[in-house]
Amino acid sequence: MKILFYDTKPYDKETFEYLLPDFPGISIDFLKTDVSPKTATLARGYDAICAFVSSNLGKDTLDVLHECNIKLLLMRCAGFNNIDLETAKKYGITILRVPGYSPEAVAEHAIAMALAVNRHLHKSYIKVRENNFSLVGLMGFNFFKKTAGIIGTGKIGAAMAKLCHGFGMKVLAYDVYKNPDLDFVTYVELDELLASSDLISLHCPLMDSTYHLINKDTIEKMKDGVILINTSRGGLIKTEDLILGIRARKFFGVGLDVYEEETPNVFEDRSDEILEHSVTARLLSFPNVIITSHQGFFTLEALEAIADTTLSNAKSYETGSLISGNIVNP
Ligand code: NAD
């Protein structure tokens, strides 16, 4: 099977090439450019393309891929909201994805952000580099014996709950389903979680029912001095309301690996650009906010798991033994 790999970053090439010898008969050509109606024509002569969560896989691109006789779309990610599923179905294009790769990677990043904003690591790193050894402005608080509130206790939320438990925190959770594996967690209503938690971490998916879950009303219900962490999806938080809450001194700290305006920024170096109309810039102006660039998943273990599942998906297509949980459009 010949695969054309779009939007290649150096770390993608490294991990896929490392595992490729385990998948004889599969070859990959790596392209830096992402897939779009224009670049989809390059797929002629290939059996499959490999794309990412930010790739343009709307109708126009799928039209071209169909003309190029592409029958398999390998998504090296969990999300697929960027694909026009109706059009893919019409053309009989099979879409396979990587539903989970390393929940611990994202949970560990959420904890890293929580600790960093709590102990002001982003400030102390800069201060000490400038020979400023003063502790003024760096005081944090112990997580030990405080309360963590986990919203969404699926794979990542469960891993986060375990880490918080390990810190000696009382762990509250809110989810539409209770995770039976988490016997140390107390499930409560959302309002109680908001009112009782010193650390709130978001781990539910973005859906109509969770869009802007964190807004003026829910922020008002939180404890003063709370730490809020979002490693899930930007749209869970209404950014304008978050900014109002930060200005009202509601938060001890805020850590965002994802945010509403992130799409043009994700994994791109825009350091030479002037970002206009940016609420992200406003968020970055606050001393108690840390933003990272959707890097929660970005560990060696997670990248290897993504490459392994993607290549296994390609092999399963060839052998006619698709892995049911990885099929987007059964
Ligand atoms: P999952 O499907 O295992 O868990 C999601 C949980 O959210 C489920 O338990 C579900 O019942 C719960 N849920 C659904 N609706 C809810 C609601 N209205 N309120 C509260 N809980 C609700 O998913 P996961 O693998 O744990 O991933 C969670 C999210 O993490 C993903 O949706 C994705 O947005 C995000 N993510 C981020 C990164 C990153 O790099 N930052 C990487 C992977 C995933």
Side-chain angles (χ1 to χ4, degrees), residues 180-192:
D181 298 337
L182 302 176
D183 55 3
F184 58 88
V185 163
T186 309
Y187 280 91
V188 293
E189 289 304 315
L190 182 61
D191 282 2
E192 188 181 339

Side-chain angles (χ1 to χ4, degrees), residues 80-228:
F80 51 85
N81 55 311
N82 52 331
I83 308 172
D84 182 339
L85 295 178
E86 278 300 306
T87 307
K89 190 174 171 193
K90 185 176 86 182
Y91 292 142
I93 298 175
T94 301
I95 307 165
L96 302 177
R97 68 178 182 126
V98 184
Y101 24 94
S102 176
E104 291 76 18
V106 183
E108 287 176 19
H109 190 69
I111 274 289
M113 296 196 96
L115 286 170
V117 286
N118 181 349
R119 307 305 288 267
H120 311 280
L121 298 186
H122 55 305
K123 288 166 83 179
S124 58
Y125 172 77
I126 303 288
K127 281 174 90 162
V128 171
R129 282 174 76 95
E130 308 222 331
N131 293 345
N132 177 352
F133 304 101
S134 154
L135 298 182
V136 174
L138 299 183
M139 196 189 298
F141 64 89
N142 286 7
F143 279 152
F144 181 60
K145 289 197 169 165
K146 295 295 188 311
T147 300
I150 312 293
I151 300 183
T153 50
K155 294 180 284 298
I156 298 171
M160 180 64 175
K162 286 175 194 162
L163 292 175
C164 292
H165 185 57
F167 275 93
M169 301 182 87
K170 175 179 176 189
V171 185
L172 303 180
Y174 169 72
D175 196 315
V176 284
Y177 299 106
K178 290 184 182 157
N179 186 332
D181 298 337
L182 302 176
D183 55 3
F184 58 88
V185 163
T186 309
Y187 280 91
V188 293
E189 289 304 315
L190 182 61
D191 282 2
E192 188 181 339
L193 182 149
L194 296 172
S196 312
S197 302
D198 303 286
L199 164 64
I200 295 176
S201 195
L202 307 181
H203 299 288
C204 57
L206 179 60
M207 304 179 294
D208 287 348
S209 60
T210 57
Y211 178 69
H212 285 178
L213 181 75
I214 302 302
N215 55 45
K216 189 172 174 292
D217 293 340
T218 44
I219 289 171
E220 267 169 17
K221 289 174 184 163
M222 292 177 191
K223 251 187 180 182
D224 287 342
V226 63
I227 288 179
L228 175 68

Side-chain angles (χ1 to χ4, degrees), residues 4 6 31 34-49 56-73 84 87-88 90-91 93:
L4 186 61
Y6 283 95
L31 286 183
D34 204 349
V35 67
S36 68
K38 274 190 185 158
T39 59
T41 52
L42 298 168
R44 195 176 298 283
Y46 288 87
D47 304 298
I49 72 153
N56 169 353
L57 291 161
K59 181 181 177 309
D60 293 350
T61 306
L62 294 177
D63 285 345
V64 181
L65 290 174
H66 171 64
E67 279 166 29
C68 295
N69 207 24
I70 292 295
K71 289 281 176 224
L72 177 61
L73 185 46
D84 182 339
T87 307
K90 185 176 86 182
Y91 292 142
I93 298 175

